[in-house]
């Protein structure tokens, strides 16, 4: 592997990434989730809680309406609230605050940086990139701004640019925010060992936000799930020690239970995750579990909840074309819409995943020749992602290329035999026919 500049033992290996990195994830809510108004009204002014901080900051703004830092601090608190509740309605409150802040100080770099975070969260990645660049123009020495730029570049398929942005970030300040991004981009390029090492650096560096540390343990657990379920289980439990009932850790334990053949325990964990945070991700877990068990009515129920959540998220200004395309294609729902959404996503954010999901949508619509046209682009970072390899292997099989199909499917299985509840069995059964 080649490498680029090293700083304080931090190295982004290249040879050749939701931000935090989770901007790539889709956070959407179902109708019964608690509203902002309810949350604020029920909060006491305890500064140790997010709701308490929100109350206190709003009170301080009333008495100090010209203090721009209060607007920035409240916006950052709202951004963390989105991470923890998936309530994207907070984004409009943040934009309203930034409108006021910008009038107070048009040259404050934190204003476009905060706007960048909102646009990334809404999956408007070009706009996010523009705001990140605007922030860097005003202040090229803030390492977090480079992180925002790299996050946008990844989703726009600008991987070389993302590496450069993250390297600038770590050069300026190697901390949790930098390490967590480096871990993702190492994973993206197939350096799983390096990704795990950097996740441990993120954990060791610490964070004053408990959810961030729990997130790092969950990401470590996802990597360990590739080969060591017991270690992965420990990682997820470590996350729960930091944030009890952390949904992604519960989901991880549910997947371990499923792949160990304990569907009852898997259902329990998935249900707990969904009840804690009723978003598409956990609704889909339950739907896929029930589908695998042949309980089609329950599977349909949770898939319907997932679709409703996508609609709500779009109503709040989030672009869900890419995520909806995969969801619809995977579950053979509205396949024409799946293709249309994939085409729009590919135009908006031409990443390896956009290319792959577009090929998968063509595959699901029976357009196998068209599906194969995106193979090279989907694999342009190498044969490193088990889901992409699964998709391209299935497409190759339909196009009669048994050698390529076997190569890709075998590589997917080797990288992560537990990459999907829904597709792992499909992969194994297809391999046996080749």
């Amino acid at each position: 592997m080649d490498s680029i500049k090293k700083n304080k033992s931090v190295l982004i290996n290249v040879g050749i990434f939701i931000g935090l990195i989770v901007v790539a994830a889709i956070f959407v809510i179902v109708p019964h989730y608690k509203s902002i108004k309810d949350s604020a009204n029920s909060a006491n002014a305890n500064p140790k809680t997010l709701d308490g901080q929100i109350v206190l900051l709003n009170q301080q703004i009333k008495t100090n309406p010209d203090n721009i830092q209060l607007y920035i601090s409240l916006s950052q608190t709202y951004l963390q609230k989105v991470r923890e509740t998936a309530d994207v309605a907070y984004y409009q409150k943040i934009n309203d605050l930034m409108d006021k802040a910008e009038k107070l100080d048009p040259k404050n770099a934190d204003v476009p940086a905060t706007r960048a975070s909102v646009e990334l969260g809404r999956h408007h990645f070009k706009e996010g990139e523009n705001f990140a660049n605007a922030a860097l123009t005003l202040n090229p020495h803030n390492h977090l701004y480079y992180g925002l730029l790299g996050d946008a570049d990844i989703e726009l398929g600008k991987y070389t640019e993302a590496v450069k942005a993250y390297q600038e970030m770590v050069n300026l300040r190697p901390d949790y925010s930098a390490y967590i991004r480096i871990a993702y981009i190492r994973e993206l390029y197939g350096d799983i060992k390096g990704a795990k090492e950097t996740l441990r650096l993120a954990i060791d560096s610490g964070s004053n936000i408990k959810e961030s540390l729990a997130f790092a343990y969950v990401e470590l657990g996802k990597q360990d799930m590739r080969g060591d379920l017991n270690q992965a289980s420990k990682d997820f439990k470590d996350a729960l020690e930091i944030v009890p009932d952390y949904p992604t850790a519960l989901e991880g334990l549910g997947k371990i239970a499923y792949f160990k053949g304990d569907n009852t325990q898997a259902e329990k964990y998935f249900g707990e995750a969904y009840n804690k945070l009723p978003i598409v991700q956990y609704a889909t877990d339950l739907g896929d579990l029930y589908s695998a068990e042949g309980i089609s009515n329950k599977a349909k129920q949770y898939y319907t909840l997932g679709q409703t959540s996508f609609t709500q998220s779009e109503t709040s200004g989030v672009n869900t074309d890419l995520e909806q395309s995969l969801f619809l294609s995977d579950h053979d729902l509205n396949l024409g819409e799946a293709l249309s959404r994939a085409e729009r996503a590919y135009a908006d954010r031409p990443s390896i995943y956009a290319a792959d999901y577009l090929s998968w949508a063509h595959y699901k619509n029976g357009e196998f020749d068209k599906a194969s046209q995106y193979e090279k682009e989907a694999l342009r970072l190498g044969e490193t992602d088990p889901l992409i390899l699964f998709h391209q292997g299935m497409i190759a099989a339909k196009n009669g290329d048994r050698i390529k199909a076997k190569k890709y499917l075998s590589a997917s299985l080797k990288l992560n035999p537990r990459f999907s509840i829904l597709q792992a069995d499909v992969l194994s059964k297809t391999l046996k026919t080749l």
Side-chain angles (χ1 to χ4, degrees):
M1 280 192 177
D2 297 325
S3 63
I4 58 181
K5 195 173 181 180
K6 187 175 181 179
N7 184 318
K8 296 183 181 180
S9 300
V10 180
L11 179 66
I12 302 177
N13 288 320
V14 197
I16 25 169
F17 143 15
I18 217 204
L20 281 178
I21 293 284
V22 294
V23 296
I26 176 66
F27 289 122
V28 286
I29 56 175
V30 295
H32 61 273
Y33 202 79
K34 187 164 76 170
S35 68
I36 294 173
K37 183 178 180 181
D38 292 337
S39 174
N41 287 344
S42 66
N44 57 40
N46 180 359
K48 293 183 180 181
T49 68
L50 281 179
D51 286 339
Q53 291 169 30
I54 288 169
V55 170
L56 288 172
L57 285 165
N58 273 300
Q59 291 172 349
Q60 291 170 359
I61 285 173
K62 287 181 180 179
T63 57
N64 300 277
D66 295 331
N67 187 332
I68 191 171
Q69 190 54 49
L70 291 175
Y71 293 96
I72 301 297
S73 296
L74 181 54
S75 296
Q76 294 301 317
T77 306
Y78 281 148
L79 285 169
Q80 184 61 29
K81 193 72 174 176
V82 175
R83 279 179 55 86
E84 296 187 13
T85 68
D87 193 340
V88 294
Y90 283 101
Y91 288 141
Q92 186 55 52
K93 296 178 78 70
I94 296 170
N95 276 339
D96 291 343
L97 287 167
M98 289 304 96
D99 288 342
K100 296 175 182 177
E102 191 168 17
K103 290 179 181 178
L104 291 171
D105 184 1
K107 293 186 178 181
N108 189 304
D110 282 340
V111 174
T114 303
R115 292 192 189 279
S117 295
V118 170
E119 294 307 318
L120 295 177
R122 285 177 165 172
H123 295 184
H124 301 161
F125 297 107
K126 184 61 181 175
E127 292 84 352
E129 181 187 45
N130 291 338
F131 278 123
N133 276 318
L136 284 166
T137 297
L138 292 168
N139 180 4
H141 305 295
N142 188 309
H143 78 302
L144 293 175
Y145 301 167
Y146 287 100
L148 292 170
L149 179 60
D151 296 346
D153 284 338
I154 278 183
E155 294 300 325
L156 293 170
K158 300 179 178 180
Y159 299 107
T160 300
E161 292 88 337
V163 168
K164 291 178 180 178
Y166 289 160
Q167 186 66 69
E168 287 297 325
M169 183 184 193
V170 78
N171 287 348
L172 287 167
R173 184 175 176 181
D175 63 0
Y176 172 91
S177 296
Y179 294 141
I180 206 76
R181 286 171 164 88
I182 294 170
Y184 179 72
I185 206 161
R186 283 178 165 175
E187 176 191 354
L188 197 61
Y189 281 105
D191 180 11
I192 303 306
K193 180 181 178 182
K196 290 166 67 172
E197 290 173 350
T198 316
L199 284 168
R200 294 189 184 98
L201 283 175
I203 292 166
D204 290 343
S205 70
S207 171
N208 59 356
I209 300 174
K210 289 184 177 181
E211 185 271 341
S212 294
L213 285 179
F215 174 81
Y217 273 110
V218 167
E219 292 304 299
L220 187 58
K222 290 178 182 177
Q223 300 307 327
D224 282 328
M225 269 190 70
R226 294 168 178 261
D228 189 340
L229 292 182
N230 291 331
Q231 181 58 49
S233 179
K234 182 182 182 303
D235 298 331
F236 295 134
K237 290 176 181 178
D238 285 341
L240 291 172
E241 286 291 320
I242 299 169
V243 180
D245 300 324
Y246 191 48
T248 52
L250 293 169
E251 178 193 37
L253 291 174
K255 289 184 176 180
I256 288 174
Y258 175 79
F259 287 112
K260 284 186 173 181
D262 190 345
N263 286 9
T264 300
Q265 193 73 355
E267 181 181 10
K268 171 183 175 292
Y269 281 125
F270 290 154
E272 288 176 358
Y274 179 78
N275 289 333
K276 180 68 176 180
L277 191 60
I279 61 175
V280 169
Q281 182 176 335
Y282 310 133
T284 302
D285 288 334
L286 285 164
D288 289 349
L289 176 63
Y290 291 130
S291 179
E293 293 178 332
I295 309 175
S296 57
N297 60 327
K298 280 194 172 184
K300 183 178 179 181
Q301 173 188 347
Y302 282 98
Y303 293 152
T304 299
L305 283 171
Q307 288 181 282
T308 301
S309 298
F310 276 126
T311 300
Q312 279 204 311
S313 191
E314 287 192 321
T315 300
S316 296
V318 179
N319 184 336
T320 68
D321 280 337
L322 184 68
E323 296 76 18
Q324 279 207 69
S325 173
L326 180 63
F327 175 86
L328 294 172
S329 293
D330 276 349
H331 301 101
D332 296 315
L333 300 169
N334 302 323
L335 293 177
E337 181 184 352
L339 181 56
S340 296
R341 287 186 176 276
E343 290 172 337
R344 291 199 300 268
Y346 180 72
D348 290 339
R349 47 193 287 197
S351 66
I352 57 173
Y353 295 105
D356 180 60
Y357 295 2
L358 179 54
S359 67
W360 190 235
H362 278 300
Y363 169 90
K364 284 289 187 167
N365 278 275
E367 300 171 351
F368 306 124
D369 286 340
K370 288 184 178 179
S372 65
Q373 294 175 11
Y374 300 92
E375 172 194 354
K376 183 176 180 179
E377 192 169 356
L379 293 169
R380 64 186 164 112
L381 297 185
E383 297 175 13
T384 62
D385 187 284
L387 182 62
I388 292 178
L389 287 166
F390 165 72
H391 289 160
Q392 299 306 317
M394 296 295 290
I395 292 166
K398 281 293 185 180
N399 282 313
D401 192 335
R402 294 167 62 90
I403 295 175
K404 182 183 289 185
K406 188 172 182 178
K407 174 190 174 185
Y408 286 162
L409 294 177
S410 297
S412 176
L413 190 64
K414 182 178 180 180
L415 283 172
N416 187 359
R418 308 173 187 96
F419 74 98
S420 169
I421 292 174
L422 189 68
Q423 308 292 8
D425 284 344
V426 176
L427 186 155
S428 296
K429 290 176 182 178
T430 304
L431 260 179
K432 291 178 182 178
T433 67
L434 297 174

